[in-house]
């Protein structure tokens, strides 16, 4: 039951983009088409899950064990950057088709603050490894859901008449705000 609550809270109630405002750059930048949003969502899910596992283990067995907790942020940044590069190299050699599908988004993920934010939140919430994995996957699903919904809305907005002063970023920000308000409706669930 606890895992279900973590899942619902991470996907709907405390959505990483719409409630915690992490990962706004790819949310606004990659959300023009549903296909690219789905690709980015898949890449974030893959990298976020692996990064959370690795950073959790490093925190527990290296930083906490040797009293180096103050090095958490810089260590996590370096680990995430190295992990993304390693995943990119492995995908290029093992599965060129998957590399072509995710390859465009992997460099963007290195600078996605959502990845670092979730890695730190898992430690702050004092989750165990299984809870951390559930939270990471749920957060990534919530990120992908918000990104795909937003991309669908933006595709529809591209086909409508919008006043000249509202085209581009202004209408995107208003739409994101309305989407965030819609997700606030889930706040009574958990």
């Amino acid at each position: 039951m606890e895992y279900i609550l973590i899942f619902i809270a991470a996907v709907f109630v405390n959505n990483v983009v719409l409630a915690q405002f992490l990962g706004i750059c790819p949310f606004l930048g990659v959300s023009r088409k549903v296909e690219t949003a789905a690709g980015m969502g898949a890449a974030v899910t893959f990298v976020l899950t692996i990064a959370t596992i690795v950073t959790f283990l490093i925190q527990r067995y290296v930083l906490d064990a040797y009293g180096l907790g103050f090095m958490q942020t810089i260590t996590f940044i370096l680990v995430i950057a190295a992990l993304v590069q390693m995943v990119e190299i492995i995908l290029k050699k093992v599965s060129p088709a998957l590399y072509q599908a995710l390859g465009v988004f992997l460099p963007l993920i290195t600078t996605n603050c959502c990845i670092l934010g979730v890695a730190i939140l898992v430690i702050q919430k004092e989750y165990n490894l299984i809870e951390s994995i559930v939270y990471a996957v749920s957060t990534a699903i919530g990120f992908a859901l918000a990104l795909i919904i937003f991309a669908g809305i933006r595709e529809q907005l591209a086909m409508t008449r919008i006043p000249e002063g509202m085209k581009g970023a202004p209408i995107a920000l208003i739409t994101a705000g309305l989407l965030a308000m819609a997700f606030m409706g889930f706040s009574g669930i958990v």
Side-chain angles (χ1 to χ4, degrees):
M1 186 64 171
E2 185 176 339
Y3 300 130
I4 294 171
L5 291 175
I6 291 172
F7 178 82
I8 291 171
V11 173
F12 299 110
V13 179
N14 296 321
N15 188 287
V16 73
V17 177
L18 302 174
Q20 298 177 10
F21 307 112
L22 294 172
I24 295 293
C25 293
F27 181 71
L28 293 173
V30 187
S31 61
R32 296 197 197 290
K33 293 186 180 180
V34 173
E35 295 84 27
T36 57
M40 183 64 165
V44 166
T45 302
F46 182 69
V47 171
L48 184 60
T49 305
I50 293 172
T52 300
I53 293 169
V54 171
T55 55
F56 178 86
L57 294 173
I58 288 174
Q59 179 73 34
R60 281 285 160 92
Y61 298 110
V62 177
L63 298 178
D64 288 346
Y66 295 106
L68 299 171
F70 63 93
M71 299 270 306
Q72 180 189 53
T73 304
I74 191 70
T75 303
F76 284 10
I77 290 171
L78 292 173
V79 166
I80 291 167
L83 192 64
V84 170
Q85 289 300 316
M86 191 169 56
V87 166
E88 190 172 359
I89 291 168
I90 291 170
L91 281 179
K92 195 173 193 178
K93 290 186 179 187
V94 174
S95 177
L98 185 60
Y99 173 75
Q100 289 298 327
L102 299 179
V104 176
F105 305 111
L106 285 174
L108 292 173
I109 292 173
T110 305
T111 58
N112 189 346
C113 60
C114 171
I115 308 294
L116 178 63
V118 170
I120 292 173
L121 283 172
V122 161
I123 303 302
Q124 288 177 349
K125 292 177 185 254
E126 296 180 358
Y127 285 151
N128 61 33
L129 184 59
I130 302 300
E131 291 170 339
S132 299
I133 294 169
V134 169
Y135 183 73
V137 170
S138 303
T139 301
I141 290 170
F143 178 84
L145 178 69
L147 192 64
I148 291 169
I149 291 171
F150 188 57
I153 293 170
R154 286 184 79 178
E155 280 185 357
Q156 291 298 315
L157 284 173
M159 294 186 280
T160 61
R161 291 184 47 179
I162 299 171
E164 197 62 37
M166 294 297 290
K167 287 184 180 179
I171 195 69
L173 292 174
I174 289 171
T175 304
L178 291 172
L179 188 58
M181 287 174 53
F183 269 68
M184 284 176 57
F186 293 112
S187 63
I189 293 176
V190 177

